[in-house]
Amino acid sequence: MLTENHWDIVTRYQEIVFARTTPEQKLIIVTAFQKRDNVVAVTGDGVNDAPALKAADVGIAVVSGSDVAIEASDLVLVGKFDSIIDGIRLGRL
């Protein structure tokens, strides 16, 4: 578990990607970054990912995921992961 000091260091990065995280870790990451005024996007596909998807500034569910994850998300990914960038860019006003 990271301390507040560790989170202060980690959240200074302009961009950072976490991989292979549990649903519980995803929610901790979202909360830690938002607490420090960062914008957070999260991907997920399972029922257990729903809290992090809902809490994130942009929750991205995979179309093959659970109905709960899709309902909790802001964006549903129907293509490859590299289409996330275009989807967010095209969705902005």
Side-chain angles (χ1 to χ4, degrees):
M1 193 67 153
L2 295 178
T3 66
E4 288 297 315
N5 289 337
H6 289 130
W7 281 114
D8 289 339
I9 293 167
V10 171
T11 58
R12 286 188 198 137
Y13 288 93
Q14 187 174 2
E15 296 177 3
I16 190 166
V17 175
F18 293 90
R20 310 286 300 168
T21 57
T22 66
E24 294 80 12
Q25 291 169 329
K26 288 181 183 183
L27 188 55
I28 290 168
I29 292 165
V30 169
T31 304
F33 273 80
Q34 287 178 331
K35 180 179 176 182
R36 291 162 179 85
D37 297 323
N38 291 285
V39 176
V40 182
V42 173
T43 59
D45 62 357
V47 173
N48 293 334
D49 291 327
L53 289 167
K54 192 73 172 167
D57 297 292
V58 181
I60 305 167
V62 181
V63 72
S64 60
S66 72
D67 290 341
V68 174
I70 291 171
E71 190 65 34
S73 68
D74 301 298
L75 186 129
V76 178
L77 183 64
V78 295
K80 298 178 183 175
F81 274 92
D82 57 355
S83 64
I84 292 173
I85 296 167
D86 289 334
I88 291 173
R89 180 179 54 80
L90 295 172
R92 292 193 179 264
L93 296 174

